[in-house]
Short mmCIF file of all heavy atoms in Angstrom, two decimals:
data_model
loop_
_atom_site.label_atom_id
_atom_site.label_comp_id
_atom_site.label_asym_id
_atom_site.label_seq_id
_atom_site.Cartn_x
_atom_site.Cartn_y
_atom_site.Cartn_z
N GLY A 578 103.19 105.39 98.00
CA GLY A 578 103.49 105.95 96.57
C GLY A 578 102.40 105.94 95.69
O GLY A 578 101.34 105.30 95.99
N PHE A 579 102.48 106.65 94.62
CA PHE A 579 101.56 106.64 93.59
C PHE A 579 102.05 106.12 92.25
O PHE A 579 103.20 106.25 91.93
CB PHE A 579 101.04 108.12 93.34
CG PHE A 579 100.32 108.79 94.45
CD1 PHE A 579 101.02 109.51 95.35
CD2 PHE A 579 98.97 108.69 94.65
CE1 PHE A 579 100.24 110.15 96.49
CE2 PHE A 579 98.18 109.23 95.60
CZ PHE A 579 98.92 109.92 96.56
N THR A 580 101.16 105.55 91.54
CA THR A 580 101.51 105.08 90.21
C THR A 580 100.91 106.17 89.26
O THR A 580 99.70 106.42 89.25
CB THR A 580 100.88 103.71 89.76
OG1 THR A 580 101.39 102.78 90.69
CG2 THR A 580 101.24 103.31 88.39
N LEU A 581 101.78 106.88 88.53
CA LEU A 581 101.29 107.93 87.61
C LEU A 581 101.06 107.22 86.29
O LEU A 581 101.81 106.33 85.80
CB LEU A 581 102.41 109.02 87.44
CG LEU A 581 102.84 109.72 88.76
CD1 LEU A 581 103.89 110.67 88.39
CD2 LEU A 581 101.59 110.28 89.47
N THR A 582 99.89 107.60 85.75
CA THR A 582 99.53 107.15 84.37
C THR A 582 99.22 108.25 83.44
O THR A 582 98.67 109.23 83.83
CB THR A 582 98.41 106.01 84.45
OG1 THR A 582 97.33 106.72 84.98
CG2 THR A 582 98.71 104.88 85.30
N MET A 583 99.50 107.95 82.12
CA MET A 583 99.05 109.00 81.06
C MET A 583 97.70 108.56 80.52
O MET A 583 97.49 107.45 80.29
CB MET A 583 100.07 109.00 80.02
CG MET A 583 99.76 110.09 78.90
SD MET A 583 101.05 110.28 77.55
CE MET A 583 100.69 108.82 76.65
N ASP A 584 96.82 109.54 80.48
CA ASP A 584 95.52 109.28 80.01
C ASP A 584 95.55 108.84 78.51
O ASP A 584 96.28 109.51 77.70
CB ASP A 584 94.64 110.59 80.13
CG ASP A 584 93.16 110.28 79.93
OD1 ASP A 584 92.75 110.20 78.76
OD2 ASP A 584 92.52 110.11 80.94
N LYS A 585 94.96 107.75 78.23
CA LYS A 585 94.99 107.19 76.76
C LYS A 585 94.29 108.09 75.77
O LYS A 585 94.61 108.05 74.60
CB LYS A 585 94.45 105.79 76.77
CG LYS A 585 95.30 104.75 77.42
CD LYS A 585 94.65 103.45 77.31
CE LYS A 585 95.41 102.26 78.15
NZ LYS A 585 96.61 102.38 78.82
N THR A 586 93.40 108.88 76.23
CA THR A 586 92.66 109.79 75.41
C THR A 586 93.12 111.05 75.14
O THR A 586 93.40 111.54 74.10
CB THR A 586 91.13 109.80 75.87
OG1 THR A 586 90.56 108.60 76.09
CG2 THR A 586 90.28 110.74 74.90
N ASN A 587 93.42 111.85 76.26
CA ASN A 587 93.93 113.21 76.16
C ASN A 587 95.46 113.46 76.38
O ASN A 587 95.93 114.51 76.30
CB ASN A 587 93.10 114.19 77.03
CG ASN A 587 93.23 113.83 78.49
OD1 ASN A 587 94.26 113.52 78.96
ND2 ASN A 587 92.12 114.10 79.17
N HIS A 588 96.13 112.43 76.79
CA HIS A 588 97.60 112.43 76.93
C HIS A 588 97.99 113.23 78.11
O HIS A 588 99.14 113.70 78.20
CB HIS A 588 98.23 112.88 75.70
CG HIS A 588 98.17 111.85 74.51
ND1 HIS A 588 98.53 112.22 73.28
CD2 HIS A 588 97.47 110.67 74.45
CE1 HIS A 588 98.13 111.27 72.45
NE2 HIS A 588 97.45 110.35 73.14
N HIS A 589 97.07 113.59 79.02
CA HIS A 589 97.45 114.32 80.29
C HIS A 589 97.80 113.20 81.29
O HIS A 589 97.33 112.10 81.38
CB HIS A 589 96.34 115.25 80.80
CG HIS A 589 96.21 116.46 79.92
ND1 HIS A 589 96.72 117.64 80.37
CD2 HIS A 589 95.61 116.66 78.65
CE1 HIS A 589 96.44 118.61 79.36
NE2 HIS A 589 95.85 118.00 78.40
N LEU A 590 98.61 113.76 82.27
CA LEU A 590 99.03 112.84 83.36
C LEU A 590 97.97 112.81 84.49
O LEU A 590 97.54 113.80 84.89
CB LEU A 590 100.42 113.32 83.94
CG LEU A 590 101.17 112.31 84.72
CD1 LEU A 590 101.57 111.09 84.01
CD2 LEU A 590 102.49 113.14 85.23
N HIS A 591 97.71 111.60 84.93
CA HIS A 591 96.91 111.49 86.22
C HIS A 591 97.77 111.67 87.43
O HIS A 591 98.80 110.84 87.51
CB HIS A 591 96.20 110.14 86.28
CG HIS A 591 95.21 109.87 85.16
ND1 HIS A 591 94.11 109.17 85.35
CD2 HIS A 591 95.20 110.20 83.85
CE1 HIS A 591 93.42 109.06 84.23
NE2 HIS A 591 94.10 109.74 83.36
N LYS A 592 97.61 112.62 88.26
CA LYS A 592 98.62 112.93 89.34
C LYS A 592 97.80 113.04 90.72
O LYS A 592 96.75 113.40 90.74
CB LYS A 592 99.36 114.20 89.09
CG LYS A 592 100.11 114.20 87.81
CD LYS A 592 100.94 115.46 87.71
CE LYS A 592 100.22 116.70 87.56
NZ LYS A 592 100.86 117.95 87.14
N PRO A 593 98.60 112.84 91.79
CA PRO A 593 97.97 113.09 93.07
C PRO A 593 97.78 114.62 93.31
O PRO A 593 98.64 115.36 92.68
CB PRO A 593 98.97 112.46 94.07
CG PRO A 593 100.27 112.46 93.34
CD PRO A 593 99.92 112.28 91.97
N VAL A 594 96.87 114.97 94.19
CA VAL A 594 96.75 116.36 94.61
C VAL A 594 97.20 116.43 96.06
O VAL A 594 96.74 115.51 96.90
CB VAL A 594 95.35 116.83 94.50
CG1 VAL A 594 95.15 118.24 95.07
CG2 VAL A 594 94.88 116.80 92.99
N MET A 595 98.02 117.34 96.40
CA MET A 595 98.56 117.43 97.78
C MET A 595 98.38 118.85 98.21
O MET A 595 98.70 119.79 97.45
CB MET A 595 100.01 116.97 97.88
CG MET A 595 100.24 115.65 97.46
SD MET A 595 102.01 115.21 97.54
CE MET A 595 102.00 113.60 96.86
N ILE A 596 98.06 119.09 99.50
CA ILE A 596 98.10 120.39 100.10
C ILE A 596 99.15 120.33 101.26
O ILE A 596 99.15 119.37 102.04
CB ILE A 596 96.66 120.71 100.73
CG1 ILE A 596 95.68 120.82 99.54
CG2 ILE A 596 96.71 122.04 101.52
CD1 ILE A 596 94.17 121.08 100.03
N GLY A 597 99.91 121.29 101.28
CA GLY A 597 101.01 121.33 102.33
C GLY A 597 101.19 122.63 102.86
O GLY A 597 100.71 123.64 102.44
N GLU A 598 102.01 122.68 103.96
CA GLU A 598 102.41 123.98 104.59
C GLU A 598 104.02 124.07 104.49
O GLU A 598 104.61 123.01 104.61
CB GLU A 598 101.91 124.08 105.98
CG GLU A 598 102.28 122.98 106.92
CD GLU A 598 101.58 122.90 108.20
OE1 GLU A 598 100.57 123.63 108.29
OE2 GLU A 598 101.95 122.18 109.11
N VAL A 599 104.41 125.17 104.32
CA VAL A 599 105.93 125.47 104.21
C VAL A 599 106.50 125.50 105.57
O VAL A 599 106.03 126.31 106.44
CB VAL A 599 106.22 126.75 103.41
CG1 VAL A 599 107.72 126.97 103.25
CG2 VAL A 599 105.59 126.76 102.03
N GLU A 600 107.59 124.73 105.78
CA GLU A 600 108.19 124.83 107.14
C GLU A 600 109.35 125.85 107.10
O GLU A 600 109.67 126.44 106.10
CB GLU A 600 108.84 123.41 107.44
CG GLU A 600 107.71 122.38 107.52
CD GLU A 600 108.33 120.91 107.75
OE1 GLU A 600 109.62 120.81 107.49
OE2 GLU A 600 107.58 120.02 108.15
N GLU A 601 109.82 126.23 108.28
CA GLU A 601 110.78 127.35 108.33
C GLU A 601 112.11 126.99 107.57
O GLU A 601 112.63 127.99 107.03
CB GLU A 601 111.22 127.49 109.76
CG GLU A 601 110.15 128.21 110.72
CD GLU A 601 110.64 128.47 112.08
OE1 GLU A 601 111.84 128.51 112.26
OE2 GLU A 601 109.80 128.66 112.93
N ASN A 602 112.35 125.77 107.24
CA ASN A 602 113.61 125.40 106.49
C ASN A 602 113.33 125.32 105.06
O ASN A 602 114.20 124.94 104.19
CB ASN A 602 114.23 124.06 106.99
CG ASN A 602 113.17 122.82 106.71
OD1 ASN A 602 112.17 123.06 106.18
ND2 ASN A 602 113.57 121.72 107.23
N GLY A 603 112.06 125.80 104.56
CA GLY A 603 111.71 125.82 103.17
C GLY A 603 111.13 124.56 102.69
O GLY A 603 110.78 124.55 101.43
N GLN A 604 111.09 123.45 103.40
CA GLN A 604 110.55 122.15 103.06
C GLN A 604 109.01 122.21 103.17
O GLN A 604 108.55 123.02 103.91
CB GLN A 604 111.16 121.06 103.78
CG GLN A 604 112.64 120.87 103.55
CD GLN A 604 112.95 120.53 102.10
OE1 GLN A 604 112.49 119.53 101.55
NE2 GLN A 604 113.81 121.19 101.46
N PHE A 605 108.38 121.33 102.44
CA PHE A 605 106.92 121.25 102.63
C PHE A 605 106.43 120.05 103.52
O PHE A 605 107.14 118.97 103.45
CB PHE A 605 106.27 121.06 101.26
CG PHE A 605 106.31 122.22 100.41
CD1 PHE A 605 107.27 122.46 99.52
CD2 PHE A 605 105.29 123.17 100.50
CE1 PHE A 605 107.35 123.59 98.77
CE2 PHE A 605 105.35 124.36 99.73
CZ PHE A 605 106.35 124.58 98.82
N ASN A 606 105.51 120.25 104.33
CA ASN A 606 104.89 119.26 105.11
C ASN A 606 103.53 118.93 104.52
O ASN A 606 102.67 119.84 104.55
CB ASN A 606 104.69 119.68 106.63
CG ASN A 606 104.08 118.69 107.43
OD1 ASN A 606 104.21 117.49 107.31
ND2 ASN A 606 103.23 119.14 108.38
N VAL A 607 103.34 117.76 104.01
CA VAL A 607 101.94 117.48 103.37
C VAL A 607 100.97 117.30 104.43
O VAL A 607 101.18 116.46 105.33
CB VAL A 607 102.11 116.19 102.44
CG1 VAL A 607 100.72 115.88 101.86
CG2 VAL A 607 103.20 116.59 101.30
N VAL A 608 99.91 118.00 104.40
CA VAL A 608 98.84 117.97 105.43
C VAL A 608 97.65 117.29 104.97
O VAL A 608 96.78 116.82 105.78
CB VAL A 608 98.52 119.37 106.07
CG1 VAL A 608 99.75 120.00 106.73
CG2 VAL A 608 97.98 120.28 104.95
N TRP A 609 97.47 117.11 103.63
CA TRP A 609 96.28 116.36 103.05
C TRP A 609 96.73 115.89 101.61
O TRP A 609 97.46 116.66 101.01
CB TRP A 609 95.15 117.24 102.99
CG TRP A 609 93.96 116.59 102.47
CD1 TRP A 609 93.01 115.87 103.06
CD2 TRP A 609 93.51 116.55 101.08
NE1 TRP A 609 92.05 115.36 102.21
CE2 TRP A 609 92.31 115.86 101.00
CE3 TRP A 609 93.96 117.17 99.84
CZ2 TRP A 609 91.74 115.52 99.76
CZ3 TRP A 609 93.37 116.98 98.66
CH2 TRP A 609 92.24 116.19 98.68
N GLN A 610 96.29 114.76 101.21
CA GLN A 610 96.50 114.39 99.86
C GLN A 610 95.40 113.45 99.39
O GLN A 610 94.71 112.81 100.24
CB GLN A 610 97.79 113.65 99.68
CG GLN A 610 98.02 112.34 100.40
CD GLN A 610 99.37 111.82 100.25
OE1 GLN A 610 100.37 112.55 100.17
NE2 GLN A 610 99.55 110.47 100.17
N THR A 611 95.21 113.37 98.11
CA THR A 611 94.17 112.40 97.62
C THR A 611 94.55 111.01 97.82
O THR A 611 95.75 110.76 97.92
CB THR A 611 93.82 112.67 96.11
OG1 THR A 611 95.09 112.60 95.33
CG2 THR A 611 93.34 114.03 95.82
N GLU A 612 93.56 110.05 97.80
CA GLU A 612 93.98 108.67 98.00
C GLU A 612 94.48 108.02 96.67
O GLU A 612 95.30 107.11 96.69
CB GLU A 612 92.77 107.86 98.47
CG GLU A 612 92.36 108.29 99.93
CD GLU A 612 91.27 107.47 100.48
OE1 GLU A 612 91.00 106.27 99.94
OE2 GLU A 612 90.60 107.87 101.36
N GLN A 613 94.03 108.75 95.54
CA GLN A 613 94.35 108.10 94.19
C GLN A 613 94.76 109.34 93.37
O GLN A 613 94.30 110.45 93.63
CB GLN A 613 93.13 107.34 93.57
CG GLN A 613 92.80 106.16 94.39
CD GLN A 613 93.71 105.00 94.35
OE1 GLN A 613 94.41 104.82 93.40
NE2 GLN A 613 93.81 104.22 95.46
N PRO A 614 95.54 109.00 92.30
CA PRO A 614 95.84 110.15 91.37
C PRO A 614 94.44 110.62 90.75
O PRO A 614 93.46 109.95 90.64
CB PRO A 614 96.59 109.42 90.24
CG PRO A 614 97.35 108.24 91.01
CD PRO A 614 96.30 107.74 91.96
N VAL A 615 94.52 111.86 90.31
CA VAL A 615 93.27 112.57 89.77
C VAL A 615 93.41 112.75 88.23
O VAL A 615 94.50 113.08 87.80
CB VAL A 615 93.03 113.92 90.51
CG1 VAL A 615 91.88 114.68 89.87
CG2 VAL A 615 92.78 113.72 92.03
N ARG A 616 92.46 112.42 87.60
CA ARG A 616 92.48 112.68 86.08
C ARG A 616 92.37 114.10 85.79
O ARG A 616 91.49 114.86 86.20
CB ARG A 616 91.31 111.88 85.47
CG ARG A 616 91.30 111.98 83.88
CD ARG A 616 90.03 111.33 83.37
NE ARG A 616 90.09 111.16 81.89
CZ ARG A 616 89.52 112.05 81.10
NH1 ARG A 616 88.96 113.02 81.53
NH2 ARG A 616 89.70 111.98 79.76
N ALA A 617 93.33 114.58 84.91
CA ALA A 617 93.42 116.00 84.60
C ALA A 617 92.32 116.41 83.59
O ALA A 617 91.97 115.55 82.77
CB ALA A 617 94.68 116.33 83.99
N GLN A 618 91.83 117.56 83.70
CA GLN A 618 90.93 118.17 82.70
C GLN A 618 91.77 118.62 81.59
O GLN A 618 92.62 119.56 81.87
CB GLN A 618 90.05 119.27 83.27
CG GLN A 618 89.04 118.74 84.26
CD GLN A 618 88.20 119.94 84.72
OE1 GLN A 618 88.60 120.64 85.66
NE2 GLN A 618 87.02 120.19 84.06
N PRO A 619 91.61 118.20 80.35
CA PRO A 619 92.47 118.72 79.24
C PRO A 619 92.32 120.18 78.87
O PRO A 619 93.16 120.89 78.35
CB PRO A 619 92.17 117.81 78.03
CG PRO A 619 90.83 117.37 78.38
CD PRO A 619 90.66 117.23 79.85
N TRP A 620 91.15 120.78 79.15
CA TRP A 620 90.85 122.17 78.83
C TRP A 620 90.29 122.88 80.10
O TRP A 620 89.48 122.35 80.75
CB TRP A 620 89.77 122.27 77.73
CG TRP A 620 90.16 121.46 76.60
CD1 TRP A 620 89.66 120.25 76.13
CD2 TRP A 620 91.12 121.86 75.55
NE1 TRP A 620 90.19 119.89 75.05
CE2 TRP A 620 91.17 120.75 74.66
CE3 TRP A 620 92.01 122.87 75.35
CZ2 TRP A 620 92.00 120.79 73.46
CZ3 TRP A 620 92.78 122.94 74.29
CH2 TRP A 620 92.86 121.83 73.37
N SER A 621 90.88 124.05 80.40
CA SER A 621 90.34 124.83 81.51
C SER A 621 88.91 125.18 81.36
O SER A 621 88.55 125.75 80.31
CB SER A 621 91.20 126.18 81.59
OG SER A 621 90.61 127.00 82.58
N PRO A 622 88.13 124.92 82.48
CA PRO A 622 86.62 125.35 82.39
C PRO A 622 86.42 126.83 82.50
O PRO A 622 85.36 127.38 82.38
CB PRO A 622 86.04 124.59 83.62
CG PRO A 622 87.19 124.39 84.51
CD PRO A 622 88.42 124.33 83.61
N TYR A 623 87.52 127.62 82.80
CA TYR A 623 87.45 129.01 82.99
C TYR A 623 87.60 129.82 81.78
O TYR A 623 87.61 131.06 81.78
CB TYR A 623 88.38 129.44 84.19
CG TYR A 623 88.11 128.70 85.39
CD1 TYR A 623 89.01 127.68 85.90
CD2 TYR A 623 86.98 129.02 86.15
CE1 TYR A 623 88.66 126.98 86.95
CE2 TYR A 623 86.69 128.36 87.40
CZ TYR A 623 87.63 127.31 87.70
OH TYR A 623 87.38 126.62 88.89
N ILE A 624 87.94 129.18 80.56
CA ILE A 624 88.09 129.95 79.36
C ILE A 624 86.89 129.60 78.38
O ILE A 624 86.62 128.42 78.14
CB ILE A 624 89.48 129.46 78.60
CG1 ILE A 624 90.59 129.86 79.68
CG2 ILE A 624 89.58 130.07 77.26
CD1 ILE A 624 91.94 129.41 79.11
N ALA A 625 86.32 130.66 78.09
CA ALA A 625 85.14 130.53 77.10
C ALA A 625 85.41 129.62 75.89
O ALA A 625 86.45 129.90 75.34
CB ALA A 625 84.57 131.92 76.72
N GLY A 626 84.49 128.76 75.60
CA GLY A 626 84.65 127.96 74.37
C GLY A 626 85.32 126.67 74.64
O GLY A 626 85.26 125.71 73.87
N ASN A 627 86.02 126.45 75.77
CA ASN A 627 86.66 125.30 76.05
C ASN A 627 85.76 124.03 76.25
O ASN A 627 86.03 122.82 76.05
CB ASN A 627 87.59 125.37 77.26
CG ASN A 627 88.98 125.94 76.88
OD1 ASN A 627 89.24 126.13 75.76
ND2 ASN A 627 89.82 126.17 77.89
N ASP A 628 84.41 124.43 76.67
CA ASP A 628 83.50 123.29 76.92
C ASP A 628 83.09 122.64 75.67
O ASP A 628 82.57 121.54 75.72
CB ASP A 628 82.22 123.94 77.68
CG ASP A 628 81.61 125.00 76.94
OD1 ASP A 628 82.30 125.74 76.12
OD2 ASP A 628 80.31 125.07 77.11
N LYS A 629 83.47 123.23 74.49
CA LYS A 629 83.13 122.57 73.19
C LYS A 629 84.33 121.84 72.63
O LYS A 629 84.10 121.22 71.59
CB LYS A 629 82.65 123.65 72.34
CG LYS A 629 81.41 124.46 72.84
CD LYS A 629 80.75 125.33 71.83
CE LYS A 629 79.59 126.11 72.31
NZ LYS A 629 79.25 126.14 73.68
N LYS A 630 85.48 121.89 73.33
CA LYS A 630 86.64 121.29 72.77
C LYS A 630 86.54 119.76 73.07
O LYS A 630 86.08 119.43 74.17
CB LYS A 630 87.97 121.97 73.24
CG LYS A 630 88.15 123.25 72.68
CD LYS A 630 89.49 123.87 73.08
CE LYS A 630 89.68 125.23 72.62
NZ LYS A 630 90.97 125.83 73.11
N PRO A 631 87.04 118.95 72.19
CA PRO A 631 87.07 117.48 72.46
C PRO A 631 88.09 116.97 73.58
O PRO A 631 89.05 117.73 73.94
CB PRO A 631 87.40 116.86 71.07
CG PRO A 631 88.35 117.93 70.47
CD PRO A 631 87.80 119.22 70.98
N ASP A 632 87.88 115.76 73.97
CA ASP A 632 88.80 115.31 75.08
C ASP A 632 89.91 114.45 74.38
O ASP A 632 90.23 113.31 74.80
CB ASP A 632 87.94 114.34 75.98
CG ASP A 632 88.73 113.93 77.20
OD1 ASP A 632 89.68 114.62 77.62
OD2 ASP A 632 88.45 112.77 77.75
N TYR A 633 90.49 115.01 73.35
CA TYR A 633 91.70 114.42 72.74
C TYR A 633 92.56 115.46 72.15
O TYR A 633 92.09 116.66 72.05
CB TYR A 633 91.24 113.45 71.64
CG TYR A 633 90.39 113.96 70.63
CD1 TYR A 633 90.81 114.78 69.54
CD2 TYR A 633 88.93 113.75 70.70
CE1 TYR A 633 90.02 115.27 68.64
CE2 TYR A 633 88.12 114.27 69.79
CZ TYR A 633 88.69 115.03 68.64
OH TYR A 633 87.73 115.55 67.74
N PRO A 634 93.85 115.24 72.01
CA PRO A 634 94.72 116.18 71.42
C PRO A 634 94.31 116.84 70.14
O PRO A 634 93.82 116.17 69.26
CB PRO A 634 96.11 115.52 71.24
CG PRO A 634 95.96 114.32 72.15
CD PRO A 634 94.57 113.90 72.10
N VAL A 635 94.41 118.24 70.08
CA VAL A 635 93.99 118.91 68.86
C VAL A 635 95.25 119.76 68.46
O VAL A 635 95.77 120.63 69.28
CB VAL A 635 92.81 119.92 69.12
CG1 VAL A 635 92.49 120.65 67.97
CG2 VAL A 635 91.62 118.98 69.57
N LYS A 636 95.66 119.73 67.21
CA LYS A 636 96.76 120.62 66.71
C LYS A 636 96.11 121.99 66.48
O LYS A 636 95.13 122.05 65.86
CB LYS A 636 97.35 120.06 65.50
CG LYS A 636 98.16 118.74 65.85
CD LYS A 636 98.92 118.40 64.56
CE LYS A 636 99.83 117.25 64.85
NZ LYS A 636 100.64 116.80 63.72
N SER A 637 96.85 123.04 66.88
CA SER A 637 96.38 124.39 66.57
C SER A 637 96.73 124.83 65.20
O SER A 637 97.87 124.35 64.70
CB SER A 637 96.93 125.33 67.65
OG SER A 637 98.24 125.41 67.66
N ALA A 638 95.99 125.62 64.54
CA ALA A 638 96.29 126.19 63.29
C ALA A 638 97.46 127.21 63.36
O ALA A 638 97.44 128.02 64.31
CB ALA A 638 95.02 126.76 62.64
N LYS A 639 98.37 127.18 62.40
CA LYS A 639 99.43 128.10 62.38
C LYS A 639 99.42 128.99 61.30
O LYS A 639 98.81 128.85 60.32
CB LYS A 639 100.74 127.31 62.49
CG LYS A 639 100.97 126.50 63.63
CD LYS A 639 102.36 125.83 63.56
CE LYS A 639 102.45 124.97 64.82
NZ LYS A 639 103.80 124.41 64.94
#
């Protein structure tokens, strides 16, 4: 099992990564997984400008 923890800085969950294959009955067979939970990136690296955002929660302007 894994111990899930919330990041103290950005409040995202550290979670395991798993790769699986779907069986005929609709269930998943895990074929690979990380040994430890992985720290989430709070901002997508694929969106322009996110590289300048801080590693902590930010309220958006309304």
Side-chain angles (χ1 to χ4, degrees):
F579 291 94
T580 300
L581 302 180
T582 57
M583 185 176 72
D584 194 276
K585 291 181 183 358
T586 303
N587 63 34
H588 300 171
H589 284 259
L590 195 62
H591 296 214
K592 300 187 293 186
V594 175
M595 299 178 187
I596 296 176
E598 54 191 15
V599 182
E600 298 178 342
E601 287 184 19
N602 62 6
Q604 296 296 307
F605 287 92
N606 177 37
V607 176
V608 296
W609 180 86
Q610 66 185 35
T611 55
E612 291 185 23
Q613 300 291 325
V615 176
R616 182 179 187 267
Q618 290 182 276
W620 305 103
S621 172
Y623 302 104
I624 298 175
N627 276 355
D628 59 335
K629 300 187 180 18
K630 291 184 179 178
D632 189 29
Y633 53 82
V635 176
K636 289 187 177 184
S637 60
K639 293 183 179 183

